[in-house]
Amino acid sequence: MPIAQPLGPARRIVQQINAVWADRRESMLAVLELDARHIAMSGLSNDGLSLFNLTYDGNTVVSDKSPLLPESVNPEFIIADLQLVYWPIAELQKKLPADWRLEAAQNKRILTAGNNKQVEVNYLSADPDWPKAVELVNFRYNYRLNIKTISYELIPE
Protein backbone atom coordinates (compact mmCIF):
# COMPACT_ATOMS: atom_id res chain seq x y z
CA MET A 1 0.00 0.00 0.00
CA PRO A 2 1.41 3.42 -0.90
CA ILE A 3 2.22 5.81 1.95
CA ALA A 4 -0.44 8.48 2.49
CA GLN A 5 0.20 12.17 3.15
CA PRO A 6 1.23 13.31 6.64
CA LEU A 7 -1.57 14.70 8.76
CA GLY A 8 -1.95 16.82 11.87
CA PRO A 9 -2.30 17.65 14.63
CA ALA A 10 1.36 17.60 15.67
CA ARG A 11 1.96 14.74 18.08
CA ARG A 12 4.50 12.33 19.49
CA ILE A 13 3.53 8.70 20.03
CA VAL A 14 5.49 5.85 21.61
CA GLN A 15 4.28 2.33 20.87
CA GLN A 16 5.22 -1.24 21.65
CA ILE A 17 4.90 -3.30 18.46
CA ASN A 18 4.96 -7.08 18.69
CA ALA A 19 5.26 -8.88 15.36
CA VAL A 20 4.66 -12.55 14.66
CA TRP A 21 5.41 -14.22 11.32
CA ALA A 22 6.30 -17.75 10.29
CA ASP A 23 8.27 -19.11 13.24
CA ARG A 24 9.52 -15.72 14.50
CA ARG A 25 8.40 -13.34 17.20
CA GLU A 26 9.95 -9.88 17.48
CA SER A 27 9.21 -6.84 19.58
CA MET A 28 10.25 -3.21 19.24
CA LEU A 29 9.50 0.27 20.47
CA ALA A 30 8.42 2.77 17.84
CA VAL A 31 8.67 6.52 18.37
CA LEU A 32 6.50 8.41 15.90
CA GLU A 33 6.39 12.16 15.42
CA LEU A 34 4.01 13.60 12.90
CA ASP A 35 2.27 16.74 11.81
CA ALA A 36 0.65 17.98 8.60
CA ARG A 37 4.07 18.34 6.92
CA HIS A 38 6.09 15.27 7.86
CA ILE A 39 6.30 11.86 9.51
CA ALA A 40 9.37 10.77 11.44
CA MET A 41 9.67 7.32 12.96
CA SER A 42 12.40 5.50 14.85
CA GLY A 43 12.33 1.82 15.71
CA LEU A 44 14.25 0.66 18.77
CA SER A 45 14.96 -2.79 20.13
CA ASN A 46 13.71 -3.45 23.65
CA ASP A 47 17.35 -2.90 24.72
CA GLY A 48 17.29 0.60 23.18
CA LEU A 49 19.36 -0.19 20.07
CA SER A 50 18.35 1.69 16.92
CA LEU A 51 16.71 -0.58 14.32
CA PHE A 52 15.69 2.08 11.79
CA ASN A 53 14.94 5.74 11.22
CA LEU A 54 12.51 7.02 8.63
CA THR A 55 11.28 10.45 7.54
CA TYR A 56 8.60 11.29 5.00
CA ASP A 57 7.68 14.77 3.81
CA GLY A 58 4.69 13.80 1.68
CA ASN A 59 6.89 13.22 -1.37
CA THR A 60 10.12 11.46 -0.40
CA VAL A 61 10.87 8.68 2.07
CA VAL A 62 14.36 8.66 3.56
CA SER A 63 15.29 5.73 5.78
CA ASP A 64 18.21 3.85 7.21
CA LYS A 65 18.05 0.34 8.55
CA SER A 66 20.22 -1.50 11.04
CA PRO A 67 21.54 -4.98 10.21
CA LEU A 68 19.78 -6.00 13.45
CA LEU A 69 16.42 -5.64 11.68
CA PRO A 70 15.47 -8.78 9.71
CA GLU A 71 15.97 -8.39 5.96
CA SER A 72 12.26 -9.00 5.33
CA VAL A 73 11.24 -5.99 7.46
CA ASN A 74 11.11 -2.70 5.58
CA PRO A 75 10.52 0.53 7.57
CA GLU A 76 8.24 1.82 4.79
CA PHE A 77 5.95 -1.17 5.35
CA ILE A 78 5.74 -0.31 9.05
CA ILE A 79 4.63 3.25 8.24
CA ALA A 80 2.08 1.95 5.71
CA ASP A 81 0.71 -0.48 8.32
CA LEU A 82 0.43 2.27 10.93
CA GLN A 83 -1.36 4.49 8.43
CA LEU A 84 -3.74 1.66 7.61
CA VAL A 85 -4.58 1.48 11.31
CA TYR A 86 -4.75 5.18 12.22
CA TRP A 87 -5.28 7.42 9.17
CA PRO A 88 -8.80 8.45 8.10
CA ILE A 89 -10.22 5.95 5.62
CA ALA A 90 -11.02 8.69 3.09
CA GLU A 91 -7.32 9.70 2.98
CA LEU A 92 -6.18 6.11 2.47
CA GLN A 93 -8.75 5.38 -0.23
CA LYS A 94 -7.18 8.12 -2.38
CA LYS A 95 -3.96 6.06 -2.52
CA LEU A 96 -5.44 2.62 -3.26
CA PRO A 97 -5.04 0.93 -6.64
CA ALA A 98 -8.26 0.69 -8.67
CA ASP A 99 -9.33 -2.83 -7.62
CA TRP A 100 -8.54 -2.37 -3.90
CA ARG A 101 -11.11 -1.46 -1.23
CA LEU A 102 -10.79 -0.32 2.36
CA GLU A 103 -13.94 -0.66 4.44
CA ALA A 104 -14.80 -0.08 8.06
CA ALA A 105 -17.04 -2.22 10.22
CA GLN A 106 -17.57 -2.05 13.97
CA ASN A 107 -14.10 -1.92 15.60
CA LYS A 108 -12.50 -3.17 12.38
CA ARG A 109 -11.05 -2.22 9.00
CA ILE A 110 -10.70 -4.61 6.10
CA LEU A 111 -8.46 -4.07 3.07
CA THR A 112 -9.28 -6.21 0.02
CA ALA A 113 -7.83 -6.58 -3.47
CA GLY A 114 -10.42 -7.94 -5.86
CA ASN A 115 -12.24 -10.48 -3.68
CA ASN A 116 -9.21 -11.37 -1.55
CA LYS A 117 -8.85 -10.07 1.99
CA GLN A 118 -5.36 -8.60 2.32
CA VAL A 119 -5.37 -7.03 5.78
CA GLU A 120 -7.71 -6.91 8.76
CA VAL A 121 -7.33 -4.34 11.53
CA ASN A 122 -9.05 -5.04 14.85
CA TYR A 123 -9.41 -2.21 17.36
CA LEU A 124 -9.15 -3.70 20.82
CA SER A 125 -9.73 -0.39 22.62
CA ALA A 126 -12.12 2.36 21.64
CA ASP A 127 -10.59 5.80 21.29
CA PRO A 128 -11.69 8.17 18.52
CA ASP A 129 -8.34 9.99 18.30
CA TRP A 130 -5.80 7.18 18.51
CA PRO A 131 -6.84 3.64 19.58
CA LYS A 132 -4.42 2.40 22.24
CA ALA A 133 -4.55 -1.35 21.49
CA VAL A 134 -4.77 -2.72 17.96
CA GLU A 135 -4.18 -5.98 16.14
CA LEU A 136 -3.27 -5.96 12.44
CA VAL A 137 -3.33 -9.25 10.51
CA ASN A 138 -1.70 -9.22 7.08
CA PHE A 139 -3.02 -12.22 5.13
CA ARG A 140 -1.03 -11.43 2.00
CA TYR A 141 2.38 -11.53 3.71
CA ASN A 142 1.34 -13.76 6.60
CA TYR A 143 2.20 -11.69 9.67
CA ARG A 144 0.45 -10.21 12.68
CA LEU A 145 1.18 -6.99 14.58
CA ASN A 146 -0.04 -6.22 18.08
CA ILE A 147 0.31 -2.50 18.70
CA LYS A 148 0.06 -0.96 22.15
CA THR A 149 0.32 2.80 22.53
CA ILE A 150 2.43 3.64 25.56
CA SER A 151 2.20 7.41 25.29
CA TYR A 152 0.38 9.90 23.08
CA GLU A 153 0.99 13.61 23.38
CA LEU A 154 0.10 16.64 21.31
CA ILE A 155 3.11 18.88 20.71
CA PRO A 156 3.20 22.57 19.77
CA GLU A 157 3.71 23.29 16.09
Side-chain angles (χ1 to χ4, degrees):
M1 186 167 147
I3 297 176
Q5 293 300 112
L7 68 101
R11 53 209 148 159
R12 181 178 301 116
I13 301 121
V14 178
Q15 297 178 305
Q16 178 74 47
I17 300 177
N18 296 306
V20 178
W21 68 99
D23 59 348
R24 287 189 74 151
R25 222 177 243 283
E26 298 290 337
S27 180
M28 74 171 189
L29 284 174
V31 180
L32 180 66
E33 288 190 2
L34 60 110
D35 60 30
R37 296 178 306 280
H38 87 291
I39 298 169
M41 183 176 193
S42 294
L44 305 168
S45 73
N46 289 327
D47 298 331
L49 299 174
S50 177
L51 298 174
F52 69 86
N53 292 295
L54 177 143
T55 59
Y56 177 60
D57 64 4
N59 297 308
T60 305
V61 174
V62 176
S63 67
D64 62 61
K65 179 177 161 180
S66 163
L68 298 173
L69 198 64
E71 187 62 35
S72 61
V73 178
N74 182 330
E76 291 179 39
F77 295 161
I78 297 169
I79 287 288
D81 281 347
L82 290 177
Q83 287 187 330
L84 185 56
V85 170
Y86 296 108
W87 260 235
I89 286 182
E91 290 299 313
L92 298 174
Q93 288 170 332
K94 294 175 189 176
K95 294 287 192 179
L96 293 177
D99 64 335
W100 288 61
R101 289 185 326 277
L102 178 60
E103 298 169 332
Q106 187 173 4
N107 299 321
K108 171 179 302 214
R109 288 184 179 182
I110 299 171
L111 178 66
T112 56
N115 292 322
N116 299 315
K117 187 188 314 187
Q118 302 296 309
V119 179
E120 182 174 300
V121 176
N122 296 297
Y123 296 98
L124 307 175
S125 67
D127 186 320
D129 294 326
W130 195 272
K132 306 294 188 263
V134 180
E135 175 190 56
L136 178 143
V137 181
N138 188 308
F139 297 101
R140 183 175 190 178
Y141 295 111
N142 202 21
Y143 66 88
R144 176 183 312 266
L145 301 178
N146 288 298
I147 305 166
K148 179 182 175 192
T149 298
I150 297 168
S151 70
Y152 177 97
E153 64 179 305
L154 296 176
I155 53 178
E157 291 194 48

